[in-house]
Amino acid sequence: MRGDTEARERSGGPEPAVVPVRRFVAVPQTRTSGGAEHGLGRFVRFLGRNLLREFRVVIVQPARTLVRRGLSGVALAIFASVAVLTLHAVDQSPTGAALIRLTSHVRGDIPLPLVLLRTPLSLFVPARDMAALPGIPVLFLGVALAQLVLGRTRTVLVAYAVSLAGTLSARVMIELGPRWWGLPPDAAQVIDTGASAAVVGLFAHVATVKRAPVLFFFAVTPTVLRSLHKPNLAGREHLVAITVAVLLGLLATRRDPALREAERPA
């Protein structure tokens, strides 16, 4: 035995120690839905905060202004509604129809200076293809909300600006002819009256200024879809009016960021 040990020492030293081999077994891990649930919770809280903010700036604050100012806070809406009903009644008689045609009808083949003179009154003449009475609630709501949120002066300026932009753009489209985004020559004979472009423009402007996507979705998006589906003169003017209203809203909030939250005088 001693000889064997000495022989091993002379040849290479002691025997190496036996190292146990560890085997690692992969244990399948189950994914937890904590991250997804956390993300969903954050989205729900974000949506809730924005809906609450939009409810406050689009409904609560205008309602407070209406309570404080009374009917004077919606004087423009009352005036516009009464003017539409009055001109609609006048238009029912031959004499009244001739008077309205000479003072408020706007077409693409009328000289531009005459169009500029007739445009303010043309806003209160119901369009030929639309009934007057069903549009009164929408007209009243759009103008009333705009006056309560934006104030009387800004409401008038925005309504006139978007309507005039739509009228002038229609003349350009007629000049382009029946090509892409143009209109056929017979569109110059279409009577262009009504407050629909002004109303949808006011909704779009208020939604842009107040960062109110829900208001924009329900009040503006249907008009956009109808205009794209039926690309006639009125539809094109509505798209232009909405675009101009949004641009004016972005410009207004850039100059006065407090306009997004602050209550405006009626």
mmCIF file of all heavy atoms in Angstrom, residues 106 110-121 160 164 167-168 171:
data_model
loop_
_atom_site.group_PDB
_atom_site.id
_atom_site.type_symbol
_atom_site.label_atom_id
_atom_site.label_comp_id
_atom_site.label_asym_id
_atom_site.label_seq_id
_atom_site.Cartn_x
_atom_site.Cartn_y
_atom_site.Cartn_z
ATOM 1 N N VAL A 106 -76.483 83.132 -52.651
ATOM 2 C CA VAL A 106 -75.074 83.125 -53.038
ATOM 3 C C VAL A 106 -74.841 81.954 -53.981
ATOM 4 O O VAL A 106 -75.245 80.828 -53.697
ATOM 5 C CB VAL A 106 -74.158 83.013 -51.799
ATOM 6 C CG1 VAL A 106 -72.704 82.842 -52.214
ATOM 7 C CG2 VAL A 106 -74.310 84.233 -50.900
ATOM 8 N N ILE A 110 -72.069 84.394 -59.300
ATOM 9 C CA ILE A 110 -72.356 85.771 -58.907
ATOM 10 C C ILE A 110 -71.031 86.486 -58.656
ATOM 11 O O ILE A 110 -70.095 85.898 -58.105
ATOM 12 C CB ILE A 110 -73.246 85.790 -57.638
ATOM 13 C CG1 ILE A 110 -74.607 85.172 -57.943
ATOM 14 C CG2 ILE A 110 -73.412 87.204 -57.099
ATOM 15 C CD1 ILE A 110 -75.516 85.104 -56.746
ATOM 16 N N PRO A 111 -70.904 87.757 -59.048
ATOM 17 C CA PRO A 111 -69.656 88.493 -58.808
ATOM 18 C C PRO A 111 -69.264 88.476 -57.330
ATOM 19 O O PRO A 111 -70.117 88.519 -56.429
ATOM 20 C CB PRO A 111 -69.978 89.912 -59.290
ATOM 21 C CG PRO A 111 -71.069 89.723 -60.293
ATOM 22 C CD PRO A 111 -71.877 88.558 -59.809
ATOM 23 N N LEU A 112 -67.984 88.420 -57.076
ATOM 24 C CA LEU A 112 -67.481 88.280 -55.714
ATOM 25 C C LEU A 112 -67.905 89.421 -54.788
ATOM 26 O O LEU A 112 -68.281 89.153 -53.630
ATOM 27 C CB LEU A 112 -65.949 88.160 -55.740
ATOM 28 C CG LEU A 112 -65.278 87.922 -54.391
ATOM 29 C CD1 LEU A 112 -65.803 86.661 -53.741
ATOM 30 C CD2 LEU A 112 -63.765 87.865 -54.563
ATOM 31 N N PRO A 113 -67.868 90.690 -55.188
ATOM 32 C CA PRO A 113 -68.325 91.741 -54.272
ATOM 33 C C PRO A 113 -69.767 91.542 -53.817
ATOM 34 O O PRO A 113 -70.099 91.795 -52.650
ATOM 35 C CB PRO A 113 -68.168 93.028 -55.097
ATOM 36 C CG PRO A 113 -67.105 92.708 -56.085
ATOM 37 C CD PRO A 113 -67.314 91.272 -56.440
ATOM 38 N N LEU A 114 -70.627 91.084 -54.725
ATOM 39 C CA LEU A 114 -72.013 90.833 -54.349
ATOM 40 C C LEU A 114 -72.108 89.647 -53.391
ATOM 41 O O LEU A 114 -72.944 89.645 -52.475
ATOM 42 C CB LEU A 114 -72.845 90.579 -55.600
ATOM 43 C CG LEU A 114 -74.374 90.623 -55.458
ATOM 44 C CD1 LEU A 114 -74.818 91.957 -54.890
ATOM 45 C CD2 LEU A 114 -75.032 90.337 -56.798
ATOM 46 N N VAL A 115 -71.261 88.662 -53.581
ATOM 47 C CA VAL A 115 -71.231 87.519 -52.665
ATOM 48 C C VAL A 115 -70.853 87.962 -51.260
ATOM 49 O O VAL A 115 -71.455 87.526 -50.265
ATOM 50 C CB VAL A 115 -70.243 86.452 -53.188
ATOM 51 C CG1 VAL A 115 -69.985 85.384 -52.126
ATOM 52 C CG2 VAL A 115 -70.787 85.806 -54.445
ATOM 53 N N LEU A 116 -69.859 88.827 -51.159
ATOM 54 C CA LEU A 116 -69.431 89.305 -49.844
ATOM 55 C C LEU A 116 -70.535 90.084 -49.139
ATOM 56 O O LEU A 116 -70.665 90.016 -47.906
ATOM 57 C CB LEU A 116 -68.183 90.182 -49.993
ATOM 58 C CG LEU A 116 -66.940 89.473 -50.550
ATOM 59 C CD1 LEU A 116 -65.787 90.465 -50.703
ATOM 60 C CD2 LEU A 116 -66.543 88.310 -49.668
ATOM 61 N N LEU A 117 -71.345 90.811 -49.913
ATOM 62 C CA LEU A 117 -72.455 91.552 -49.309
ATOM 63 C C LEU A 117 -73.585 90.629 -48.867
ATOM 64 O O LEU A 117 -74.230 90.874 -47.835
ATOM 65 C CB LEU A 117 -72.991 92.584 -50.310
ATOM 66 C CG LEU A 117 -72.085 93.782 -50.608
ATOM 67 C CD1 LEU A 117 -72.710 94.643 -51.707
ATOM 68 C CD2 LEU A 117 -71.855 94.608 -49.346
ATOM 69 N N ARG A 118 -73.820 89.567 -49.608
ATOM 70 C CA ARG A 118 -74.941 88.681 -49.307
ATOM 71 C C ARG A 118 -74.612 87.600 -48.274
ATOM 72 O O ARG A 118 -75.529 87.028 -47.685
ATOM 73 C CB ARG A 118 -75.415 88.000 -50.596
ATOM 74 C CG ARG A 118 -76.045 88.940 -51.604
ATOM 75 C CD ARG A 118 -76.518 88.156 -52.822
ATOM 76 N NE ARG A 118 -77.194 89.009 -53.788
ATOM 77 C CZ ARG A 118 -77.737 88.564 -54.916
ATOM 78 N NH1 ARG A 118 -77.667 87.267 -55.225
ATOM 79 N NH2 ARG A 118 -78.342 89.399 -55.756
ATOM 80 N N THR A 119 -73.339 87.335 -48.059
ATOM 81 C CA THR A 119 -72.970 86.215 -47.194
ATOM 82 C C THR A 119 -73.522 86.323 -45.782
ATOM 83 O O THR A 119 -74.051 85.324 -45.243
ATOM 84 C CB THR A 119 -71.431 86.068 -47.154
ATOM 85 O OG1 THR A 119 -70.969 85.739 -48.466
ATOM 86 C CG2 THR A 119 -71.019 84.966 -46.195
ATOM 87 N N PRO A 120 -73.450 87.471 -45.078
ATOM 88 C CA PRO A 120 -73.992 87.506 -43.712
ATOM 89 C C PRO A 120 -75.463 87.113 -43.628
ATOM 90 O O PRO A 120 -75.858 86.336 -42.741
ATOM 91 C CB PRO A 120 -73.779 88.975 -43.296
ATOM 92 C CG PRO A 120 -72.635 89.431 -44.131
ATOM 93 C CD PRO A 120 -72.798 88.743 -45.450
ATOM 94 N N LEU A 121 -76.294 87.616 -44.539
ATOM 95 C CA LEU A 121 -77.712 87.273 -44.506
ATOM 96 C C LEU A 121 -77.959 85.851 -44.988
ATOM 97 O O LEU A 121 -78.905 85.182 -44.523
ATOM 98 C CB LEU A 121 -78.503 88.257 -45.370
ATOM 99 C CG LEU A 121 -80.030 88.149 -45.290
ATOM 100 C CD1 LEU A 121 -80.524 88.360 -43.861
ATOM 101 C CD2 LEU A 121 -80.685 89.144 -46.244
ATOM 102 N N TYR A 160 -68.506 83.661 -39.155
ATOM 103 C CA TYR A 160 -68.408 84.331 -40.455
ATOM 104 C C TYR A 160 -67.167 83.877 -41.210
ATOM 105 O O TYR A 160 -67.201 83.674 -42.434
ATOM 106 C CB TYR A 160 -68.388 85.845 -40.259
ATOM 107 C CG TYR A 160 -68.362 86.612 -41.558
ATOM 108 C CD1 TYR A 160 -69.505 86.698 -42.356
ATOM 109 C CD2 TYR A 160 -67.202 87.235 -42.005
ATOM 110 C CE1 TYR A 160 -69.480 87.393 -43.557
ATOM 111 C CE2 TYR A 160 -67.173 87.936 -43.202
ATOM 112 C CZ TYR A 160 -68.320 88.006 -43.978
ATOM 113 O OH TYR A 160 -68.292 88.683 -45.166
ATOM 114 N N LEU A 164 -67.370 82.119 -44.841
ATOM 115 C CA LEU A 164 -66.772 82.801 -45.988
ATOM 116 C C LEU A 164 -65.664 81.948 -46.611
ATOM 117 O O LEU A 164 -65.525 81.910 -47.843
ATOM 118 C CB LEU A 164 -66.221 84.153 -45.550
ATOM 119 C CG LEU A 164 -65.689 85.055 -46.667
ATOM 120 C CD1 LEU A 164 -66.785 85.371 -47.674
ATOM 121 C CD2 LEU A 164 -65.114 86.340 -46.081
ATOM 122 N N THR A 167 -67.370 79.407 -48.782
ATOM 123 C CA THR A 167 -67.919 80.007 -50.000
ATOM 124 C C THR A 167 -66.824 80.328 -51.014
ATOM 125 O O THR A 167 -66.960 80.043 -52.212
ATOM 126 C CB THR A 167 -68.697 81.287 -49.643
ATOM 127 O OG1 THR A 167 -69.776 80.953 -48.755
ATOM 128 C CG2 THR A 167 -69.260 81.940 -50.887
ATOM 129 N N LEU A 168 -65.730 80.914 -50.536
ATOM 130 C CA LEU A 168 -64.633 81.263 -51.448
ATOM 131 C C LEU A 168 -63.936 80.019 -51.994
ATOM 132 O O LEU A 168 -63.539 79.982 -53.167
ATOM 133 C CB LEU A 168 -63.628 82.162 -50.726
ATOM 134 C CG LEU A 168 -64.156 83.526 -50.274
ATOM 135 C CD1 LEU A 168 -63.066 84.308 -49.568
ATOM 136 C CD2 LEU A 168 -64.718 84.317 -51.453
ATOM 137 N N ARG A 171 -65.759 78.549 -54.953
ATOM 138 C CA ARG A 171 -65.501 79.228 -56.222
ATOM 139 C C ARG A 171 -64.180 78.742 -56.831
ATOM 140 O O ARG A 171 -64.065 78.576 -58.051
ATOM 141 C CB ARG A 171 -65.461 80.742 -55.998
ATOM 142 C CG ARG A 171 -66.772 81.314 -55.484
ATOM 143 C CD ARG A 171 -66.640 82.795 -55.163
ATOM 144 N NE ARG A 171 -66.505 83.583 -56.367
ATOM 145 C CZ ARG A 171 -67.521 84.128 -57.032
ATOM 146 N NH1 ARG A 171 -68.761 83.943 -56.608
ATOM 147 N NH2 ARG A 171 -67.309 84.852 -58.107
#
